[in-house]
Structure formats: C-alpha cells, structure tokens
Amino acid sequence: MPIGRRSTSLATLAAIAVLAGVVACSSDSPVAPGTTVADSEIDQTVASDVGESFADNVGQYQENESFQENDMSGGSSTFMAGRSGVSAGTNSRTVTCGGPDASGWYSCSAYTARGLTITRQVRFWSGGSYALGWGTGSVIDSTNHLWSKSGSFESAVKAGKVFSINESAAASMVVTHSTPALHTWNGAASVSDSSTYAVNNVTRIFAYTAADTAVALTFTMPRSANPYPASGSLSRNLTLHVTAGAFDKTITRFAKVTFDGSTIAVLQVGALTCSLDLVAGVVSGCH
C-alpha cells in the first residue's frame, strides 16, 4: 500500500509538471501579456487621444486666423504655422494662392505643419460681397475656410505613440467689430484617424471614425495676445475600433471641450470629466 500511494503521488507530480509546462508556454499563446486591452486602458487612451487632437485643432484655428490676416490679392499668404508647446514649434510659412475664382475662393498650394500636409481654400466677405482680404481697404465681415490635413507624427504626450491623420473640414468666421474685436468660428469636420503603440511587443491600434463640430469658438483680437478661445466648444462623435493581437473591440463615445480663454480647458469624454492643457496637449485629473 505505501508503494501504491507513492506511485499515485509520482503520477500526480508528473501531471503537475506537464501542466506547468503548458502554463510556461502560455506567453506565446493568443492571451500573451499585452494582448488583452482593459476597459480602463481604453478609456484612458481615448481621453488622451481626443485631448491631444482637440489641442491640435485649436492650433489649426490659430493658424486659420494667422493665414487670413493677409492681402490675398498679392498671390500668397505668409503666416505662422504650428502651435506653441509642441515639438514642431511655431514657424513662418509662405504659401502660394491663386484666385479669387468666380465664387470668391482663393485656392492655395499644400504645405506642411505639425508633421501634416495641409491644403486649403479661403474666401472673404465684405458687406455681402466677395472681398480680396485684409489690407485692401475693405471691411471684412466674415471668412470661409475649407481645408484638409493628412500625415503621421509622433505623440507629444506619450513616447512611442504614433498618430495617423486624415481629416477634412469647413468653417466660417464672423467678425464682431467692437473693442476689442471678436472672431467667432463655427464649423464641422470628418475624421479618420488612428493611434498606435505597443505593450509587451503587442501593438495596439486605436482606429477612429468621427464627426467634429466647432460651435461659437471665439477668439479675442489681437490674436497674438489672445491665442486661446475665449469661449465656445469643440465636440466629437466617434466610433473606435481597438485591436491588439487577437483582441478586437468597437465602442462609441461623445467628447467635448469648452474654453474660457485660459490654457486649461474642460474636457468631457463619455462619463469622464478631465482637464486639457492646450499648450502641452496633456489630459489630467479625469474623474
């Protein structure tokens, strides 16, 4: 009997050894570390991605303001491209434009800013008629902008994360001729973006399809002294497809950022309320 019990014990140990071998090999299986993406990681990544995108969009509207300050009848626009606080910095660009056409539009050659290739059209209005731009003797009442941007760049917030951008947008700006003057923007954009980064050598792909809306985004003039919106909001309705190895999940979210003229804006992403640093693009304090 003791021998029998010993034999059973050895058999059990052998089974345990086999099981241990299976577990040891599990790091090469579809459930390897880094493959499963927790809901908390998805929430955190969406908030960070949307926040960095909104900060960049504020930079785009700053760029729109700088671009339209010129007398376009000269055939070009010299403006400040980029936004403060990001690695790309803020740099002067001169872009060649042709027009206006019969509908008042100037069409401009593509240029690169913040790692993105941008093409645009712009139109000026004065008293209900097309105008040639500031500096031509006309009082500009409003402008229309059409632009697209595409390309890839590294995140300014998370090392190793890469954004791929494909967006097109339209916006109109109305001038309130007061002291100080106000420029108020309303617009919309279609978004097809993605962010990628790796955890334990497993690449996460966050692929976004979204619709953006700008509502009463108001800048106080002079723009150089008031670079951030005094009021208004940017919002995004998004569908997100997350993959990481065999992991595959699709979610929807609504995000909105509201402005008060400071460098810190209030960001809402789903059930989370966060702070967004418009200079650094960093999201913090989510609760």
Side-chain angles (χ1 to χ4, degrees), residues 28-283:
D28 299 323
S29 73
V31 292
T35 299
T36 299
V37 185
D39 288 346
S40 58
E41 182 183 347
I42 292 174
D43 291 343
Q44 180 182 22
T45 301
V46 172
S48 179
D49 285 355
V50 169
E52 191 168 355
S53 180
F54 279 158
D56 192 69
N57 285 345
V58 171
Q60 182 64 61
Y61 279 94
Q62 293 172 346
E63 189 170 303
N64 292 355
E65 288 279 350
S66 182
F67 188 94
Q68 69 184 17
E69 289 177 355
N70 296 272
D71 173 6
M72 301 295 292
S73 63
S76 66
S77 176
T78 299
F79 60 100
M80 299 306 291
R83 66 181 176 88
S84 301
V86 294
S87 57
T90 301
N91 302 289
S92 176
R93 297 283 196 281
T94 298
V95 172
T96 301
C97 301
D101 62 17
S103 298
W105 288 103
Y106 290 92
S107 296
C108 304
S109 58
Y111 60 95
T112 301
R114 305 182 304 281
L116 302 175
T117 298
I118 300 172
T119 58
R120 68 164 69 241
Q121 293 176 278
V122 60
R123 179 169 62 183
F124 300 88
W125 294 89
S126 178
S129 300
Y130 302 140
L132 298 178
W134 269 269
T136 61
S138 300
V139 176
I140 301 302
D141 299 318
S142 63
T143 62
N144 306 133
H145 287 248
L146 302 172
W147 70 92
S148 64
K149 55 185 181 181
S150 62
S152 298
F153 60 93
E154 291 188 8
S155 167
V157 174
K158 181 180 175 66
K161 180 187 286 188
V162 175
F163 284 100
S164 294
I165 303 295
N166 187 2
E167 301 179 7
S168 59
S172 295
M173 184 213 73
V174 175
V175 181
T176 300
H177 294 286
S178 58
T179 303
L182 302 176
H183 291 179
T184 302
W185 294 83
N186 290 278
S190 60
V191 174
S192 181
D193 297 348
S194 66
S195 71
T196 61
Y197 63 94
V199 175
N200 294 328
N201 295 318
V202 178
T203 299
R204 278 104 159 87
I205 302 175
F206 283 66
Y208 299 91
T209 302
D212 283 4
T213 305
V215 176
L217 195 67
T218 302
F219 291 87
T220 303
M221 297 297 106
R223 177 189 56 82
S224 58
N226 303 279
Y228 301 104
S231 58
S233 67
L234 294 171
S235 62
R236 173 170 294 183
N237 276 296
L238 67 88
T239 298
L240 168 64
H241 184 203
V242 185
T243 56
F247 181 86
D248 190 304
K249 187 172 185 177
T250 299
I251 65 169
T252 60
R253 288 286 189 277
F254 175 74
K256 183 177 182 180
V257 59
T258 54
F259 305 97
D260 63 3
S262 71
T263 59
I264 305 299
V266 177
L267 172 66
Q268 294 177 296
V269 184
L272 296 176
T273 299
C274 313
S275 295
L276 170 60
D277 185 327
L278 298 174
V279 177
V282 173
V283 174

